[in-house]
Amino acid sequence: MSEAGAIVARRRLFARFWKAASGFWTGVRRREAWFLSLSLLAIILGQLFVQYRLNVWNREIFDALETRDISLVGHLALLFVPLALAAVAFNVASVWGRLTTQRAWRAWLTDYQIDRWLKNGRYYQLNLVKGQHENPEFRIADDTRIATESPVDFAFGVTTAVLTAVTFISVLWAVGGSISFQWGGRTIEVPGYLVFVAVIYSIITTTAMLFIGRRFVQVAEDKNQAEAEFRYAATRLRENGESIALLGGEPEERNGLSVALGNVIGRWRELCGQYLRTTVVSYGNFVLAPVIPIILCSPKFLAGTMSLGEVMQAATAFVTVQVSFNWLVENYPRLADWTASANRVAGLIVSLDRLERAEQPGAGHIVRSEQGEKVALELRGLSVNLDDGTAVVGETQVQIDRGERVLVVGESGAGKSTLIRAIAGLWPWGEGEILIKKGAKLFFMPQRPYVPIGTLKHAVAYPDPTDSLDDEDVKQALRDAELVHLVDRIHEEAPWERTLSGGEQQRLTFAQLFIQAPDIIVMDEATSALDGDAQEILMERIAQRLPDAAMISVGHRPELEAFHNRRLVLARRKDGARLVADEVLTPATFALRRAFSLIFRKRPVSGASS
């Protein structure tokens, strides 16, 4: 993408972020949001008044010192106490107001994203589509924090800077007065000369910062993305530790982490260069700003037309105006970091927008609806596509009655798992209809089960609350799932996802199935980690415990046919896989296929070396 295109894309993301984030002031929490916002404005005005009074006090104390007025110095010293206390009080109030607003806004925006992320399996669908949503958990946690903290500080800072600049420019104009000088034999008088110098000086420093830091946003975005990728690589290593250790993949993983870390360090090096260049301007301004007004006021002080107090008041006002004008200079690095985080949050929101649109009825979207009590599940003209429109499964027409067991088979890559994900409601892209029996409860059993954190009872009850089940029901479900050895450990908290083997985790999913007692069961290689005997026991137990449940499953083992009464065969085609056969399975059919499999099974050639 060209630089101009990248700028346009960032602006669109920025606009989308504000459209979503501004909901804090227009949604259900708008009263709280506006109360906090108005409170911050009141605090700013209070701070400004105290700051102005301190500026006047500064002039008066130096004038009193110059005239050696002891009584006035004592009076001003006493007056300083309430001014100082008020300044501290307003600064404490500003910290409270900013942190409270940041906390409330972050909570609202985080809830907004989590609600949309978890709805209708979008957290899963994000893995299947293209877009700027890598590491969504990082965007929701860290990027949202930065994206809501910084704008509050910026809004507070900008408002303070503008009001302070207006107030103290008037002070500069009144105290500094005019200055006259000779030029070409003529006397030229410049009214409010300190104001003009302050404005020109601020324009120079701000322009220099904008020029030097023009790439700050892009560099900050690249740094954040590199950090997220490094964190993801380390997390993935931890989550797949057993497989990596068994394969001896540590050297390869170390190389991968080294590359990711090198990318992070490289991005930080670029960011360091940006900080070095901006520091030249910011620190140079810090050194020069207090000196310039004193030098400019010294001729009038030496001429006796300006008192020492007025010089100090003008110097203080000049620095205050500079701080206000150069707010951007001081905050540009943080502004760039905030913009990068806001764009990353917006990238996730935009991807969620796309998924939300995919759920709406219309061309390119699968329609899900309910039908009467007779048929459990019907696929009517169903086509499944990728999010870019590429066909995966072509037009499919299938009807599954209550109690019917249907096995979907086909070569690898034919779209079997994609088809059942569409049936489960996890895949919205395509055309046609999926009709489900009215009020039917659907249960999806993946190849890799999810084991939640907590007790074993919580894992069996999931996704229902733990206290919704009696202990005896949980124990019976574990017995039915051939997990008798775990019956006495249902209240034990352990890292069950690492404690249980792959086969035990799949059996745990069967225990969840028996608890849920659904009307429709969708299985995707849900017995792949089980031995033949365990598979047979559990599949037969489904028939015993849930005889009226319709079941559609994907599997490659030929012995699975013994537990189904229909077989759907998918075959690859250029325009997407097609349903090429819908066969009735009987015990005799299975026995015949099994015999042919044993007869024609490939055997090692006699005499071949082992």
Side-chain angles (χ1 to χ4, degrees), residues 470-485:
D470 294 332
D471 287 358
E472 189 53 43
D473 292 333
V474 175
K475 293 179 179 180
Q476 186 58 48
L478 290 174
R479 295 188 192 100
D480 290 341
E482 296 297 301
L483 292 172
V484 180
H485 58 290

Side-chain angles (χ1 to χ4, degrees), residues 466-515:
T466 306
D467 56 9
S468 64
L469 293 179
D470 294 332
D471 287 358
E472 189 53 43
D473 292 333
V474 175
K475 293 179 179 180
Q476 186 58 48
L478 290 174
R479 295 188 192 100
D480 290 341
E482 296 297 301
L483 292 172
V484 180
H485 58 290
L486 298 176
V487 165
D488 295 329
R489 301 175 66 184
I490 63 172
H491 293 294
E492 179 181 332
E493 289 197 20
W496 294 108
E497 74 282 358
R498 296 194 298 271
T499 303
L500 302 178
S501 67
E504 287 175 322
Q505 291 184 34
Q506 286 193 340
R507 290 199 289 274
L508 183 64
T509 307
F510 277 86
Q512 295 172 339
L513 171 69
F514 298 141
I515 290 293

Side-chain angles (χ1 to χ4, degrees), residues 1 21 82 95 101 168 211-213 301 406 471 497 560 583 601:
M1 183 184 294
V95 172
T101 304
F168 284 92
F211 177 77
I212 289 174
F301 174 74
V406 179
D471 287 358
E497 74 282 358
L560 279 173
E583 305 169 345
R601 179 183 295 167

